[in-house]
Amino acid sequence: MKKIINHLKNSNHIIMASHKKPDGDAIGSLIAMGLALDALNKDITLYNESPIPSAYRFLPSVERIVHQIKKTDTYDTAIILDCADFQRIGKISSVISKIPVIINIDHHITNNRFGNFNLIDTSACATAEIIYHLLIEMALPISNSAITTAIYTGILTDTGSFRFSNTNKAAFVICEKMVEAGVDPYNVARHVYGRYSLGRIKLLKMALESIEISYNGKISMMILTKDMLDETGTQPEDINGLINYAKNIENVKVAVLIHELSNGKGVSEKPENYHISLRSDGTVDVAAIASSFSGGGHNRAAGFSIESTLSNIKTQLLINIAIEL
Ligand code: 5GP
Ligand code: MN
């Protein structure tokens, strides 16, 4: 941490990025650290490849996040947040790889330490927790409502509202401090969890109907096709959280969500791009399974993308999971 702090003090043009298709932690960490570094009078660019999901557009200063950078911009330092591997930032990785110093700040167990400096804490409940400790160490003020709301939201969402196994003491201690500093928990919860579109609820209905249970009730599988998103007028961001319904079924040890990325009309014989989300009750290390398909994540929550047929993916996953049960 000390080396990172020294380096940051001496750098001037910093680009910060978090993973594409961002969640609350990816956006919250980006805003919190970016705005805190403003106090050092640096030139800071906050970048994310994807549009900001509607649930997070209420975050103060979210408009600071840009989705494109000018070719002429030059940076001496890049800070990559909440990314287990460098490619997670998306298309910009080819530009960022040319920046002299890359700082990698993350909490995923599969993080492959791609930075020149790596601040990885797999016991942290969220990257926002690591950012909080870093800002304290740097003696930067954390009173601004954009920073406090961003840290609170990052921790709230990555711990599944203090329900997931990564929920630790720091989650409560830091969130208490953020509330003391003025964050309104109800206001955050209302925006993040209380404003679903009707389309999202219809998608939930389809997702529930798609659940297949196998292996003596230990594996549940949910499938979402591009057609379902089209029919309900929803976006990929609306899929966030749906897998928890498959995971929370009594006796289920591993839940799988197969999400069709391009429009293959769900035809199982045709190779298509899919994103696979995996959740485990702790019996099976799904980060290891995701890594074997070139993805990653945490022991109990991981994912990967794959181009294959639906039936092939199902078979491969069932074999890989069943062997661990
Ligand atoms: P989700 O299933 O919600 O997309 O992601 C669950 C966890 O797995 C998150 O921590 C996320 O960062 C990680 N993850 C999901 N997809 C990928 C992937 O393609 N590559 C890597 N390295 N991690 C992923
Ligand atoms: Mn995270």
Side-chain angles (χ1 to χ4, degrees):
M1 193 182 281
K2 292 264 178 315
K3 282 183 188 162
I4 292 179
I5 295 173
N6 277 338
H7 178 80
L8 287 176
K9 284 185 180 150
N10 295 320
S11 52
N12 291 308
H13 300 280
I14 304 172
I15 181 161
M16 299 180 52
S18 54
H19 62 82
K20 60 182 179 178
K21 299 198 179 136
D23 52 20
D25 191 28
I27 297 171
S29 314
L30 195 55
I31 295 176
M33 185 159 178
L35 268 78
L37 290 183
D38 276 348
L40 298 175
N41 289 321
K42 310 285 182 187
D43 172 25
I44 315 260
T45 301
L46 305 185
Y47 174 90
N48 193 284
E49 176 172 302
S50 313
I52 305 296
S54 60
Y56 303 118
R57 284 189 209 134
F58 78 100
L59 285 168
S61 296
V62 71
E63 68 285 349
R64 279 282 300 272
I65 301 175
V66 298
H67 308 284
Q68 256 172 346
I69 55 162
K70 292 187 212 99
K71 284 216 174 84
T72 49
D73 282 341
T74 52
Y75 302 97
D76 50 51
T77 302
I79 305 175
I80 311 300
L81 301 172
D82 206 35
C83 291
D85 58 76
F86 188 58
Q87 307 307 327
R88 294 274 290 151
I89 52 177
K91 294 188 287 260
I92 202 181
S93 55
S94 57
V95 176
I96 295 211
S97 61
K98 298 191 183 90
I99 296 175
V101 173
I102 293 175
I103 300 175
N104 168 13
I105 303 180
D106 185 36
H107 69 133
H108 291 95
I109 192 138
T110 55
N111 191 290
N112 62 7
R113 306 186 74 85
F114 57 81
N116 302 93
F117 297 109
N118 300 286
L119 180 54
I120 315 300
D121 180 359
T122 56
S123 69
C125 62
T127 300
E129 178 189 333
I130 307 175
I131 300 299
Y132 172 84
H133 296 307
L134 179 64
L135 301 184
I136 294 284
E137 194 68 27
M138 293 178 81
L140 289 171
I142 312 183
S143 47
N144 164 325
S145 75
I147 301 176
T148 54
T149 313
I151 292 176
Y152 180 91
T153 303
I155 293 177
L156 177 78
T157 55
D158 247 30
T159 58
S161 306
F162 312 106
R163 285 173 299 148
F164 298 159
S165 61
N166 58 337
T167 307
N168 55 8
K169 186 178 165 193
F172 291 100
V173 172
I174 297 170
C175 285
E176 182 192 8
K177 288 192 161 59
M178 298 302 102
V179 172
E180 261 169 17
V183 172
D184 175 359
Y186 174 64
N187 185 48
V188 176
R190 188 170 65 89
H191 282 96
V192 175
Y193 301 117
R195 289 154 38 107
Y196 293 154
S197 66
L198 183 58
R200 181 170 171 155
I201 301 300
K202 289 182 174 162
L203 186 70
L204 167 63
K205 180 172 177 259
M206 291 178 179
L208 295 177
E209 279 168 353
S210 80
I211 293 177
E212 290 170 17
I213 302 289
S214 58
Y215 213 72
N216 216 1
K218 291 182 187 156
I219 303 176
S220 63
M221 207 175 254
M222 199 181 240
I223 298 168
L224 287 173
T225 63
K226 176 80 168 48
D227 274 359
M228 292 180 189
L229 271 75
D230 289 347
E231 206 179 314
T232 53
T234 49
Q235 308 296 319
E237 69 186 57
D238 292 308
I239 292 174
N240 282 343
L242 294 183
I243 192 173
N244 291 317
Y245 289 94
K247 188 193 90 178
N248 291 342
I249 300 169
E250 196 180 13
N251 299 327
V252 162
K253 301 206 172 298
V254 177
V256 177
L257 187 153
I258 304 178
H259 163 206
E260 182 192 25
L261 298 175
S262 45
N263 203 344
K265 306 235 173 277
V267 180
S268 56
E269 295 77 32
K270 189 172 175 290
E272 278 299 336
N273 286 313
Y274 293 88
H275 181 262
I276 316 300
S277 292
L278 300 169
R279 299 291 184 272
S280 151
D281 70 344
T283 334
V284 173
D285 177 3
V286 288
I289 297 178
S291 296
S292 71
F293 289 95
S294 306
H298 309 283
N299 290 338
R300 295 173 188 237
F304 64 92
S305 293
I306 187 170
E307 195 180 321
S308 185
T309 62
L310 188 56
S311 52
N312 220 334
I313 294 171
K314 279 186 178 181
T315 315
Q316 281 197 59
L317 278 170
L318 286 176
I319 293 170
N320 276 276
I321 297 166
I323 218 165
E324 304 290 333
L325 284 171

